[in-house]
Amino acid sequence: MIVTSRDGAIVTITIDRHETRNALDAQVCTAIREAVEAAAAEADADDPVRAIVITGAGTAFCAGADLSGGVYNSEFIDAHASMLRTVESVPVPVIAAVNGPAIGAGVQLALAADLRVVVPGAVFAVPVVKVGLALDNWTIKRLANVVGGGHARSVLMTARPVGAEEAARIGLANEIGDLDTALELAREISGFAPLTLRHIKTVINDDAARLLPRDEHTELQQKAWYSEDMAEARAAREEKRPPVFRGR
């Protein structure tokens, strides 16, 4: 499910769920969080970890939430949020090696990382408007802070896939390349001053994405999650037909 390896100061965490294209459920989110925490715990050791790379096995980075794995319950929501907070807050740089499609929750995982190295054939997509769900404030603000408000609106409101070249143009991808490229970047960063890197990461992440949602935001999010439209989207998926949304 999760494979962890270390090469010098670099720890690589690989999501290995070929049967689901590395989709996330509560168990996988918990395993990623624990692997990141374990690697980061070595940041101040005698033989320290200086960077973490997260990638997917096979041809997908992460196909999103595993819709067959109970993702509509609080267990997944809590485990997923905890994973994202951990990736964002650990004291060493985290690089997402996006080796293929990153969809929905896969985009969130990539956004939680500090840097994203994207293989040429990869795409990003956040199709919440197609399935009647609502993102948390962190995801929307984080995306806006990474790519700017205009591009964030386009990504979220159109749900159109964003290819690697376009991702690089708007700032969603920091570099174009494969896992070796990501590891090379990690090795470069691992030679820099750790306390300086920690300061940069902390200050950059102390932004509007951390603001608590207002009551209005929470109410609207919950309204979407428990709406008839969301139930319609689930039914349409099972029946292999386009959903018909009615705004209730």
Side-chain angles (χ1 to χ4, degrees):
M1 181 171 61
I2 298 297
V3 178
T4 301
S5 61
R6 180 170 179 177
D7 181 9
I10 313 303
V11 167
T12 301
I13 299 168
T14 304
I15 310 168
D16 191 2
R17 298 188 76 208
H18 290 279
E19 71 282 4
T20 66
R21 292 177 63 78
N22 302 324
L24 302 178
D25 58 18
Q27 186 178 7
V28 177
C29 289
T30 298
I32 294 171
R33 174 182 59 77
E34 291 175 347
V36 171
E37 288 174 341
E42 300 298 316
D44 297 317
D46 292 335
D47 183 20
V49 169
R50 295 298 191 209
I52 299 169
V53 175
I54 299 176
T55 193
T59 58
F61 175 69
C62 174
D66 186 349
L67 298 180
S68 66
V71 300
Y72 296 99
N73 60 39
S74 60
E75 181 184 2
F76 171 77
I77 294 170
D78 292 344
H80 181 249
S82 181
M83 174 194 70
L84 296 178
R85 285 195 300 268
T86 298
V87 173
E88 180 193 30
S89 64
V90 289
V92 296
V94 178
I95 298 170
V98 182
N99 57 298
I103 310 298
V107 176
Q108 291 173 297
L109 178 56
L111 282 172
D114 300 293
L115 298 166
R116 286 154 294 281
V117 176
V118 181
V119 76
V123 294
F124 296 88
V126 187
V128 287
V129 294
K130 294 183 176 181
V131 295
L133 298 179
L135 295 167
D136 61 319
N137 276 36
W138 177 88
T139 301
I140 296 171
K141 294 293 188 182
R142 180 78 161 192
L143 180 62
N145 288 337
V146 169
V147 305
H151 293 308
R153 285 175 172 83
S154 180
V155 171
L156 297 177
M157 290 183 171
T158 71
R160 294 172 183 163
V162 177
E165 295 297 331
E166 176 68 3
R169 186 184 73 81
I170 67 177
L172 186 53
N174 299 97
E175 293 190 16
I176 301 295
D178 58 10
L179 177 58
D180 287 340
T181 306
L183 291 171
E184 182 179 347
L185 178 60
R187 281 189 288 270
E188 178 183 359
I189 290 174
S190 70
F192 297 150
L195 295 180
T196 304
L197 289 168
R198 187 178 302 189
H199 172 253
I200 292 169
K201 176 169 182 169
T202 301
V203 173
I204 287 177
N205 286 341
D206 187 16
D207 56 23
R210 289 177 170 269
L211 295 177
L212 292 175
R214 298 202 309 266
D215 290 344
E216 176 189 7
H217 300 165
T218 302
E219 180 181 350
L220 288 170
Q221 184 184 21
Q222 294 297 312
K223 189 174 182 179
W225 269 86
Y226 298 106
S227 66
E228 293 178 18
D229 278 352
M230 195 273 282
E232 160 65 8
R234 293 178 68 180
R237 179 177 177 271
E238 293 173 0
E239 297 165 11
K240 303 186 186 310
R241 60 171 175 80
V244 179
F245 295 126
R246 303 186 185 280
R248 58 176 185 261

